[in-house]
Amino acid sequence: MTPAARAADRTVPPFAGSRLGCNEWLYGGLPLERLQHHQRMSDPEMQVRARVRHEPDRSYAVLVDGPDGEVEVGRTGRTADLWALAQAGAARLFGDGLGADNLTLHVPQPPYGQDGQWVRIIAGENPDDPSESDDIGVLAQARWFGHEGAWFVTVTGTGTSIVPSERLDFEPVVTDEQVAAFHTYITAAAAG
């Protein structure tokens, strides 16, 4: 079949006869008009948006844009649970066939934190890991890292890490000596 004839014949997929050998796998040998229950490769995929609302008690509400508008699908006190809540809520609203690539979760910067502010880490991710206790209580500087929905925290003497809001004190008592030690650490790290 010539390329022009193939283009005119809608029963033949555009890449029929290619070396890929996937025509039967993709189309099952059916004419394109009979593939009503399958999505064509050129059709846009559904994209579901979800967002996080920061609550006054520093918990998080997860909201999903559903067929009838925005719906709260769950609440949690842990940043690590946000994605699972959004996925489960989207599955309830749109069905289990929704993949992770079809969901976008937006976590805005919380109102109680600002870029560049002083913080202290108040808890580690794993309380049974003694190495995580090294940073607890040490002065640090935080910058919002929206892609992770958490803070990029530079800790005096130990470096940087991604820390969720629930593990930070945003109103620490800060001394001049601690600020000087932080700046000395940053200067030495930059030179080093």
Side-chain angles (χ1 to χ4, degrees):
M1 180 179 284
T2 66
R6 181 179 294 131
D9 184 357
R10 293 196 40 137
T11 64
V12 179
F15 44 80
S18 73
R19 293 177 304 179
L20 297 175
C22 60
N23 297 338
E24 283 71 23
W25 181 75
L26 286 173
Y27 295 107
L30 298 174
L32 291 178
E33 288 78 14
R34 292 186 48 206
L35 295 175
Q36 296 169 359
H37 67 283
H38 292 287
Q39 183 177 17
R40 286 182 166 178
M41 299 210 27
S42 62
D43 291 344
E45 293 186 22
M46 178 173 46
Q47 192 65 32
V48 176
R49 294 180 313 176
R51 72 178 180 94
V52 171
R53 182 180 65 219
H54 296 279
E55 298 298 318
D57 64 356
R58 289 184 56 176
S59 66
Y60 312 98
V62 177
L63 300 102
V64 174
D65 283 339
D68 298 320
E70 192 173 64
V71 177
E72 183 176 320
V73 295
R75 289 181 183 234
T76 183
R78 292 175 20 108
T79 303
D81 297 338
L82 296 175
W83 184 253
L85 279 174
Q87 283 184 308
R92 282 194 309 272
L93 294 170
F94 295 100
D96 290 329
L98 186 70
D101 290 341
N102 303 97
L103 178 64
T104 303
L105 176 62
H106 174 68
V107 184
Q109 182 173 334
Y112 46 80
Q114 296 181 13
D115 276 350
Q117 84 171 73
W118 298 115
V119 297
R120 291 189 195 281
I121 297 175
I122 56 174
E125 184 175 349
N126 181 359
D128 298 328
D129 184 356
S131 68
E132 290 188 17
S133 65
D134 294 343
D135 291 340
I136 294 176
V138 179
L139 185 67
Q141 193 172 46
R143 301 214 179 271
W144 181 244
F145 193 31
H147 180 72
E148 293 292 327
W151 296 89
F152 188 72
V153 178
T154 303
V155 181
T156 305
T158 61
T160 58
S161 61
I162 305 296
V163 182
S165 296
E166 65 267 15
R167 293 180 21 215
L168 294 174
D169 172 10
F170 288 91
E171 298 176 357
V173 175
V174 180
T175 66
D176 291 338
E177 293 81 21
Q178 291 170 329
V179 172
F182 178 85
H183 288 297
T184 299
Y185 168 73
I186 294 298
T187 303

